[in-house]
Amino acid sequence: MPPEIPLPIQYNPYKHHFRFLLNEIKEWRVNDWSVTEKVLLSIGNNLFDFYLGELTPEQICNSSLNYFETKNITTQTAFNHWLGNSEWKKITLSDESQWLIKRGNQADRYIHIHPAKFSKHTIRVRATTLKTVLTLCVHKIPISDDGEQNLQYVNKHRSSYLQLSPIKSLDEEDSGILKLWQLFVNAAIIS
């Protein structure tokens, strides 16, 4: 858990936070690949929601904690009572993004948060897509005007660094990899 994630929050910004990852990429570029590889494992293999908004992980966590404090939910017992028999509940933060609140799986991190499906400032992302794009960005691979060249870059990095199968196409209409890669490349140019 990154140090900016306060107790009792469980939140994985490696999996759910775009701007956090932009900063991490800068660090990963100067680290040994094995360090980055370990972090990429924490992203898992599922489909999930990815926050693109302006709130930092720390602001998201503190806003979530503030929500619970205003409701006088300051203990695990009170949290469990609030959640009741529900698997999850939603809260809305200051930027109008919605966040799912679930029971955490760690005793000291009993409030698990992540972006809600189809929430404002979020997109749905496959874990393998995110890992592929992060690998390309860490290795400073530019997007080419040549679609075949992009496919070669993607497949080389998927197999060499992630032990993932090659893909057959980066069709611009449907390619989550190409769209997410463009998002990261554009943000790196702007920031």
Side-chain angles (χ1 to χ4, degrees), residues 66-187:
N66 186 55
Y67 171 88
F68 289 112
E69 287 170 11
T70 62
K71 304 264 187 218
N72 200 27
I73 301 169
T74 57
T75 66
Q76 187 170 5
T77 302
F79 174 76
N80 287 336
H81 180 72
W82 173 79
L83 199 55
N85 291 329
S86 302
E87 285 189 41
W88 54 267
K89 289 188 178 183
K90 277 186 197 175
I91 65 171
T92 302
L93 300 185
S94 61
D95 68 347
E96 299 178 13
S97 62
Q98 293 184 315
W99 293 76
L100 284 185
I101 309 298
K102 300 168 55 174
R103 283 184 182 83
N105 58 10
Q106 300 171 23
D108 60 343
R109 294 190 181 276
Y110 55 86
I111 301 174
H112 181 180
I113 67 172
H114 59 83
K117 187 176 181 180
F118 306 122
S119 170
K120 189 171 187 176
H121 310 299
T122 64
I123 59 174
R124 300 281 286 168
V125 174
R126 293 192 184 287
T128 54
T129 297
L130 180 58
K131 289 190 265 191
T132 299
V133 169
L134 290 172
T135 302
L136 293 164
C137 291
V138 167
H139 291 98
K140 299 181 182 181
I141 305 302
I143 297 176
S144 171
D145 291 334
D146 178 354
E148 192 57 39
Q149 181 67 56
N150 290 331
L151 183 61
Q152 288 175 13
Y153 289 151
V154 166
N155 284 334
K156 176 183 178 216
H157 284 77
R158 283 173 64 90
S159 63
S160 297
Y161 293 98
L162 301 170
Q163 290 73 50
L164 293 173
S165 300
I167 60 172
K168 293 179 182 174
S169 169
L170 278 177
D171 181 347
E172 291 191 33
E173 292 296 315
D174 301 318
S175 176
I177 290 174
L178 196 57
K179 289 175 185 173
L180 192 61
W181 191 8
Q182 189 69 57
L183 190 66
F184 274 91
V185 167
N186 289 343

